[in-house]
């Protein structure tokens, strides 16, 4: 019934080409052509995924799975595609998502969002408690999926789920905390450590402590490499791998704890909780601590980017945790330091330090260079408009979080930067072309759409454009 052959225009490219031949062909392309080929293949993958979702929807609607005696869609897809059960579940979720909300299929077919983003939206659509309500925010989520990194979409989707099902999310958090456990055993002469559960606040604090020790191990390796091979030596010459540094950091935490007397007071590591004014007032009203919500904060789904309540290392927190921290800890606006001093330093300082450095690092969980996921603890603060070249000021609205490698590459490659309408850092090559993921459309200010202006957006404008300047910061 079905012919096992390739038909022109309807099946996969390169049906009779050996992989080694394909590699040889690609090796003959220049650097630009290789990158362009990769981007085109990614667009094709997205179109194929959209077509696969449409096919699955048709098969399910017409019951085609029964033609060869399959007992359902699961067997049909496993039988035709030799898929795993997880592949089947993911594909069916995505098909239902796009069938219910064709705009998702349109965005995927046009290449504006990736497969990972659709998988996350499909997972949220399958949430039995609130998935049916995702249509209320689907346009927002699609825009976030296109304009921001995948991790940002995942965070916002979880934020929506907690707002749409606040009681259920709170119950889940309580159950997870009740089921907390840890085991530490010897395995083949080594360590087997497993931990799970606990509260989000405890998780965020433990992660910050762990990241702090990992950063110390990394700095020690960098110092040793620089001493032996020079400051510009490649990362491959670091004496330990990232995995080895993480293990050694954990060992240092145990050693430090064992070496301290029981009544000793160790150095304080402050965990910052950041939340928008909208979310903070909503949580206060929910607990009856202020009057009912009024004005711009009435609809919690109107602007999901302004409804967050997270730890500084990107862990979503229950609103109750934030209120408890605010009542027992210290509250400060992110635009001032603990003494209420404004942290816009103008051109009186060359480097970002003190409150300005803290504020900027709270604005991003990782390096802001496109595609980089190095955590903010290991990053520097860089001027968007350069100090010397552009006369850029040392202000929070002219700062960006950058790892050392991308900070140096920016200067070496002559890359310029500015923020778009949602506060995302956009980078431009020397020839003025943007460095963005494939399929992503730029959301520049109207007066910057020609790519000629590189002046950074001022703080007052960042308020209106979604850049999270007005946040509350708690030292938990």
């Amino acid at each position: 019934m079905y012919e096992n052959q390739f038909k022109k225009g309807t099946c996969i490219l390169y049906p009779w080409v050996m992989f080694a031949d394909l590699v040889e062909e690609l090796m003959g392309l220049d650097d630009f052509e290789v990158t362009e080929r990769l981007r085109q293949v990614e667009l094709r993958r997205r179109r194929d995924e959209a077509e696969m979702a449409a096919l699955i929807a048709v098969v399910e609607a017409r019951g085609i799975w029964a033609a060869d005696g399959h007992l359902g869609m699961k067997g049909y897809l496993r039988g035709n595609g030799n898929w795993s059960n997880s592949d089947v579940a993911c594909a069916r979720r995505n098909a239902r998502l796009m069938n219910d909300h064709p705009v998702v299929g349109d965005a995927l077919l046009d290449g504006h969002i990736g497969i990972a983003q659709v998988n996350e939206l499909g997972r949220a659509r399958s949430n039995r408690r609130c998935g049916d309500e995702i249509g209320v925010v689907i346009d927002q989520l699609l825009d976030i999926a296109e304009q921001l990194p995948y991790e940002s979409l995942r965070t916002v989707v979880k934020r929506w789920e907690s707002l749409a099902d606040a009681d259920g999310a709170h119950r889940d958090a309580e159950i997870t905390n009740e089921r907390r456990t840890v085991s530490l055993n010897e395995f083949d002469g080594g360590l087997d450590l497993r931990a799970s559960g606990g509260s989000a606040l405890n998780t965020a604090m433990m992660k910050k402590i762990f990241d702090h020790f990992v950063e110390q191990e990394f700095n020690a390796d960098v110092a040793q490499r620089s001493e032996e091979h020079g400051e510009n030596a490649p990362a491959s010459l670091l004496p330990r791998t990232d995995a080895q540094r993480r293990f050694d950091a954990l060992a240092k935490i145990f050693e430090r704890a064992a070496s301290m007397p029981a009544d000793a007071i160790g150095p304080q590591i402050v965990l910052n909780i950041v939340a928008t004014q909208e979310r903070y007032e909503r949580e206060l009203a929910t607990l009856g601590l202020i009057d009912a919500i009024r004005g711009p904060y009435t609809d919690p789904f109107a602007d999901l980017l302004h409804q967050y309540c997270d730890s500084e290392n990107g862990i979503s927190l229950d609103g109750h945790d934030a209120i408890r921290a605010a009542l027992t800890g210290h509250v400060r606006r992110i635009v001032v330091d603990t003494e209420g001093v404004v942290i816009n330093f103008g051109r009186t300082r060359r480097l970002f330090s003190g409150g300005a450095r803290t504020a900027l690092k709270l604005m991003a969980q990782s390096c802001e260079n496109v595609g980089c996921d190095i955590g903010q603890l290991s990053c520097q603060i860089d001027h968007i408009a350069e100090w010397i070249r552009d006369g850029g000021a040392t202000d929070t609205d002219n700062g960006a979080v950058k790892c050392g490698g991308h900070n140096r590459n920016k200067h070496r490659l002559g890359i310029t930067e500015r923020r778009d309408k949602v506060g995302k850092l956009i980078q431009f090559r020397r020839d003025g072309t943007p460095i963005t993921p494939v399929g992503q459309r730029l959301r520049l200010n109207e007066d910057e759409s020609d790519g000629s202006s590189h002046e950074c957006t001022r703080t007052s404008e960042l308020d209106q454009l979604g850049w999270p300047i007005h946040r509350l910061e708690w030292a938990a």
Side-chain angles (χ1 to χ4, degrees):
M1 182 174 180
Y2 303 108
E3 295 182 1
N4 186 21
Q5 62 182 14
F6 294 93
K7 296 183 179 179
K8 184 178 180 181
T10 63
C11 209
I12 305 173
L13 297 179
Y14 317 118
W16 298 285
V17 174
M18 301 296 288
F19 183 78
D21 296 333
L22 180 57
V23 171
E24 185 177 355
E25 176 199 341
L26 296 176
M27 285 295 291
L29 303 178
D30 62 32
D31 293 353
F32 173 81
E33 290 171 330
V34 169
T35 300
E36 188 61 25
R37 184 77 160 261
L38 182 144
R39 293 167 71 91
Q40 291 301 319
V41 169
E42 172 60 20
L43 290 174
R44 190 167 70 234
R45 287 180 66 232
R46 297 178 184 184
R47 289 192 291 268
D48 288 345
E49 188 72 13
E51 183 176 355
M52 179 63 75
L55 285 167
I56 291 173
V58 170
V59 170
E60 194 148 9
R62 289 168 50 181
I64 296 175
W65 46 266
D68 282 342
H70 295 292
L71 300 180
M73 280 296 296
K74 179 179 177 181
Y76 174 86
L77 293 174
R78 283 174 58 91
N80 281 280
N82 200 19
W83 290 357
S84 67
N85 288 338
S86 60
D87 287 336
V88 170
C90 182
R92 295 184 71 187
R93 284 198 304 263
N94 292 349
R96 289 173 186 144
L97 168 72
M98 287 181 258
N99 190 53
D100 291 346
H101 307 286
V103 289
V104 179
D106 293 340
L108 184 62
L109 198 60
D110 291 339
H112 296 315
I113 62 174
I115 297 171
Q117 285 77 3
V118 174
N119 290 344
E120 176 62 17
L121 295 175
R123 183 204 60 77
R125 158 66 181 76
S126 67
N127 186 318
R128 294 182 179 180
R129 295 197 298 248
C130 60
D132 291 342
E133 303 172 26
I134 197 171
V136 176
V137 295
I138 196 65
D139 289 335
Q140 277 192 71
L141 295 179
L142 284 175
D143 193 56
I144 293 168
E146 176 183 346
Q147 295 298 319
L148 298 178
Y150 167 78
E151 292 77 13
S152 298
L153 171 69
R154 189 166 177 264
T155 297
V156 173
V157 169
K158 287 184 175 180
R159 185 179 305 153
W160 168 75
E161 289 177 297
S162 68
L163 290 169
D165 181 37
D167 292 338
H170 188 60
R171 285 196 301 272
D172 288 347
E174 289 180 334
I175 292 172
T176 300
N177 189 40
E178 289 174 0
R179 293 177 176 173
R180 62 190 182 275
T181 182
V182 64
S183 64
L184 193 157
N185 301 293
E186 178 272 337
F187 181 75
D188 283 349
L191 174 67
D192 180 38
L193 174 64
R194 302 183 186 188
S196 63
S199 70
L201 196 58
N202 283 340
T203 300
M205 176 59 80
M206 293 171 70
K207 186 177 186 302
K208 176 154 188 178
I209 294 171
F210 180 68
D211 290 344
H212 173 74
F213 277 80
V214 172
E215 175 70 6
Q216 289 183 335
E217 297 300 308
F218 175 75
N219 289 337
D221 277 6
V222 170
Q224 181 178 336
R225 180 197 61 183
S226 298
E227 182 179 351
E228 295 177 357
H229 305 285
E231 292 186 358
N232 296 320
S236 59
L237 294 177
L238 290 172
R240 293 175 292 179
T241 66
D242 183 57
Q244 291 169 338
R245 285 191 293 271
R246 292 198 304 272
F247 183 95
D248 294 345
L250 181 64
K252 285 287 180 62
I253 293 174
F254 279 85
E255 292 170 5
R256 183 76 59 85
S259 64
M260 294 184 65
D263 58 348
I265 299 176
Q268 291 291 322
I269 294 183
V270 177
L271 173 70
N272 295 298
I273 302 173
V274 289
T276 52
Q277 186 81 9
E278 294 93 328
R279 181 68 181 273
Y280 181 58
E281 292 194 9
R282 174 166 296 281
E283 297 298 341
L284 289 174
T286 301
L287 295 174
L289 298 175
I290 62 173
D291 292 337
I293 301 169
R294 301 182 301 275
Y297 311 147
T298 303
D299 182 4
F301 306 130
D303 186 356
L304 290 173
L305 281 175
H306 285 81
Q307 292 291 342
Y308 56 83
C309 177
D310 307 326
S311 68
E312 63 182 283
N313 43 16
I315 297 175
S316 296
L317 302 177
D318 188 289
H320 293 71
D321 291 332
I323 299 303
R324 281 196 295 269
L327 292 175
T328 59
H330 176 67
V331 180
R332 59 183 175 182
R333 298 293 294 203
I334 195 172
V335 291
V336 299
D337 63 17
T338 53
E339 288 76 36
V341 178
V342 178
I343 56 178
N344 275 39
F345 295 120
R347 285 185 58 81
T348 61
R349 299 190 185 185
R350 172 68 176 86
L351 301 176
F352 290 97
S353 59
R357 184 178 180 84
T358 300
L360 282 162
K361 285 207 169 187
L362 285 171
M363 293 177 183
Q365 273 74 56
S366 63
C367 171
E368 293 189 83
N369 198 88
V370 60
C372 186
D373 62 355
I374 293 178
Q376 47 106 322
L377 281 177
S378 302
C379 290
Q380 308 163 354
I381 303 300
D382 182 38
H383 292 78
I384 297 176
E386 293 293 335
W387 172 266
I388 296 177
R389 184 190 66 193
D390 307 317
T394 306
D395 292 344
T396 53
D397 59 327
N398 189 40
V401 178
K402 288 287 190 63
C403 68
H406 282 126
N407 195 356
R408 292 188 294 272
N409 282 346
K410 173 188 173 182
H411 303 288
R412 181 174 63 84
L413 299 175
I415 292 173
T416 55
E417 301 170 325
R418 63 177 180 270
R419 296 200 181 277
D420 67 5
K421 289 187 175 182
V422 297
K424 183 173 83 267
L425 193 69
I426 302 295
Q427 299 170 305
F428 297 85
R429 303 179 183 90
R430 278 197 178 98
D431 62 5
T433 57
I435 306 173
T436 57
V438 61
Q440 184 180 101
R441 293 165 292 185
L442 291 182
R443 297 279 196 272
L444 299 177
N445 296 317
E446 292 182 3
D447 60 345
E448 296 179 331
S449 59
D450 61 353
S452 59
S453 173
H454 296 284
E455 185 161 353
C456 63
T457 311
R458 307 311 298 172
T459 304
S460 59
E461 295 171 331
L462 292 171
D463 251 359
Q464 305 166 12
L465 304 180
W467 176 242
I469 285 289
H470 289 301
R471 305 201 279 191
L472 294 174
E473 176 191 338
W474 291 276

